[in-house]
Amino acid sequence: GLTIANEKQYLMVLGGPGAGKSTFLRKVGLEALRTFYYEGATYQPRVIPVLLELKRFEADDVDIGRFIAAEFETCGFPEPEAFMQNALEQGNLLVMLDGLDEVPSANLNNVLNTIRDFVDLYDANRFITSCRIAASGYRGSAFQRFSNVTMADFDDDQIQQFIGNWFSSEKD
């Protein structure tokens, strides 16, 4: 997955419920952060990751820039709006839009148009979005630039390994 994320500037991660789409976005974000501290990071573009959960896009005035600036403010960045604007203009962000299928249906067209316009305006940045396969049909023209990749489901052995790893790390 990280190999594909390295190659694609615009990536749409599809999968069933619980397939690991959100976890994958978080993993890519962590690997992007590692590029600032470790030479052996597996995600190569040196960009600042920002994860936005699309289910928060409920209002009529969806302002992706405002959501990004709020994330920088939460992290303690000085002058978060100016920092965000400068980073976007220079193409220094990895904007991860998680849960396209979780956008309230009443606001879906507005959100799709807003995302399309934002990607068009700041096309030097990298974008990854996630969506359930069953809901991916409505993406339309908002995501024409994006390459689709589908998360593979775990087989029984992988499920057992995941459970074992999860609960063994809980004890530590």
Side-chain angles (χ1 to χ4, degrees):
L2 284 169
T3 300
I4 294 169
N6 276 320
E7 294 171 2
K8 304 294 183 183
Q9 183 178 357
Y10 308 103
L11 186 62
M12 170 69 76
V13 178
L14 301 169
K21 300 174 299 294
S22 298
T23 302
F24 176 71
L25 265 60
R26 286 171 173 77
K27 172 67 173 171
V28 173
L30 288 172
E31 289 300 316
L33 285 175
R34 289 173 53 99
T35 64
F36 293 94
Y37 302 103
Y38 306 105
E39 289 192 26
T42 55
Y43 188 75
Q44 295 307 311
R46 196 163 193 231
V47 290
I48 302 165
V50 180
L51 177 68
L52 303 177
E53 293 179 329
L54 294 176
K55 64 184 172 190
R56 294 177 29 201
F57 288 24
E58 297 174 352
D60 291 336
D61 62 334
V62 175
D63 185 343
I64 296 172
R66 188 181 74 229
F67 281 106
I68 293 172
E71 292 296 317
F72 286 131
E73 184 174 13
T74 298
C75 293
F77 279 72
E79 302 182 39
E81 289 183 26
F83 181 85
M84 175 268 314
Q85 190 62 46
N86 188 40
L88 282 169
E89 289 171 1
Q90 293 182 6
N92 290 332
L93 294 185
L94 166 61
V95 180
M96 297 174 290
L97 304 165
D98 188 30
L100 185 61
D101 54 290
E102 296 177 28
V103 173
S105 57
N107 202 25
L108 182 59
N109 285 334
N110 181 33
V111 169
L112 292 174
N113 290 332
T114 300
I115 291 171
R116 182 198 61 232
D117 294 346
F118 191 85
V119 169
D120 288 346
L121 184 60
Y122 298 109
D123 62 353
N125 295 279
R126 298 180 74 86
F127 294 88
I128 302 176
T129 192
S130 69
C131 185
R132 288 186 182 173
I133 291 176
S136 64
Y138 60 66
R139 292 175 289 108
S141 63
F143 296 97
Q144 287 180 341
R145 298 179 188 217
F146 286 66
S147 298
N148 293 343
V149 63
T150 303
M151 301 286 293
D153 291 331
F154 281 175
D155 62 27
D156 289 342
D157 291 337
Q158 291 169 321
I159 292 170
Q160 292 301 318
Q161 181 180 1
F162 178 83
I163 291 169
N165 291 343
W166 178 265
F167 286 105
S168 70
S169 67
E170 287 288 310
K171 294 176 191 173
D172 297 337

